[in-house]
Amino acid sequence: MKVQAKTKLPTVWGIFYMYAFSDLQNEPMPHLALLRNFDPSKPCLVRVHSECITGDLMGSTRCDCGDQFKSSMQKIGSEGGILLYLRQEGRGIGIINKMKVYNVQDEKGLNTVDANVHLGFEPDERTYETAVEMLKFFGLEQIRLLTNNPEKVEFLQKAGIEVIERVPVSGIVRSENKSYLKAKRDLMGHFLDLKDGQ
Ligand SMILES: [Zn+2]
């Protein structure tokens, strides 16, 4: 995997520099890194965000990904840091299967974990090797990680990236995503405070 292109990207959260990482020169869905004002001498603020087209782009309220993406970009926009955008849609099962999982949830009343298992997938098929490779490319060994996911912290630590602080990333609790967030907290061990109107 190498950097195939980089460019300046002005955003509503400030000017970022975007890097595209892939093995192939014309890869249609490369992993992306969005950097803003980071100081390599200090532990860098990092968000490792897995693609969620419905949440990030379409405003879906079935999950909290869009809120997490925006609040991470805002925080990195003001403090400096890096957001890695990993192409592992739907916790690694792709958009088509994710849509099928949504149908199973609606039809059978299953939670997000059981619906994945019902369709023959692991509850979470994501992996963070590419994130480690990208962080090492930027020379980052000590980070402050924006996440609620203990598995992500553990994976990075084991791969030699020292997470010196876990910075919580808050989403908005809505009636549509409350049971999804509860499943993430209770079945997947995410650190979430589910008070309404947060
Ligand atoms: Zn999502």
Side-chain angles (χ1 to χ4, degrees):
M1 199 169 74
K2 62 178 196 175
V3 175
Q4 302 291 354
K6 57 182 174 183
T7 192
K8 184 175 163 182
L9 190 73
T11 74
V12 292
W13 302 285
I15 294 169
F16 282 74
Y17 287 85
M18 184 161 80
Y19 289 64
F21 288 82
S22 67
D23 294 322
L24 301 172
Q25 224 176 327
N26 291 319
E27 165 62 49
M29 293 185 43
H31 300 294
L32 301 168
L34 288 148
L35 280 69
R36 178 165 155 87
N37 290 345
F38 86 87
D39 176 354
S41 67
K42 283 194 258 169
C44 182
L45 187 62
V46 173
R47 167 73 183 163
V48 176
H49 191 88
S50 297
E51 174 173 5
C52 171
I53 193 170
T54 47
D56 297 340
L57 209 59
M58 296 167 185
S60 166
T61 53
R62 291 191 84 124
C63 59
D64 57 342
C65 307
D67 293 332
Q68 289 193 326
F69 176 78
K70 288 189 203 98
S71 69
S72 299
M73 286 294 282
Q74 192 173 31
K75 206 160 170 55
I76 293 169
S78 65
E79 292 182 30
I82 300 187
L83 180 139
L84 303 181
Y85 197 77
L86 305 181
R87 298 308 182 98
Q88 43 185 354
E89 172 68 53
R91 294 206 300 270
I93 63 174
I95 183 64
I96 294 174
N97 288 321
K98 185 171 85 170
M99 290 161 72
K100 292 180 181 172
V101 165
Y102 284 166
N103 293 339
V104 167
Q105 287 180 255
D106 289 346
E107 285 156 18
K108 298 193 186 292
L110 298 181
N111 64 46
T112 181
V113 168
D114 292 341
N116 267 42
V117 173
H118 180 82
L119 288 175
F121 302 109
E122 295 293 323
D124 193 341
E125 301 216 352
R126 289 176 296 181
T127 170
Y128 300 103
E129 277 115 15
T130 37
V132 170
E133 208 178 320
M134 290 157 90
L135 292 172
K136 290 191 173 164
F137 172 86
F138 292 112
L140 298 175
E141 282 164 3
Q142 284 195 325
I143 63 169
R144 297 166 59 225
L145 189 65
L146 278 157
T147 189
N148 300 323
N149 182 353
E151 270 185 30
K152 214 181 273 181
V153 175
E154 201 186 330
F155 189 99
L156 297 182
Q157 296 267 34
K158 278 192 188 148
I161 306 282
E162 195 186 343
V163 179
I164 62 150
E165 186 187 354
R166 184 186 70 82
V167 182
V169 52
S170 53
I172 297 168
V173 182
R174 300 181 169 91
S175 58
E176 298 93 334
N177 68 13
K178 196 160 188 177
S179 62
Y180 165 85
L181 294 173
K182 267 187 88 159
K184 261 179 145 181
R185 183 191 64 186
D186 300 340
L187 306 173
M188 300 170 78
H190 287 213
F191 304 106
L192 288 166
D193 183 1
L194 297 182
K195 286 194 288 285
D196 283 314
Q198 197 184 19

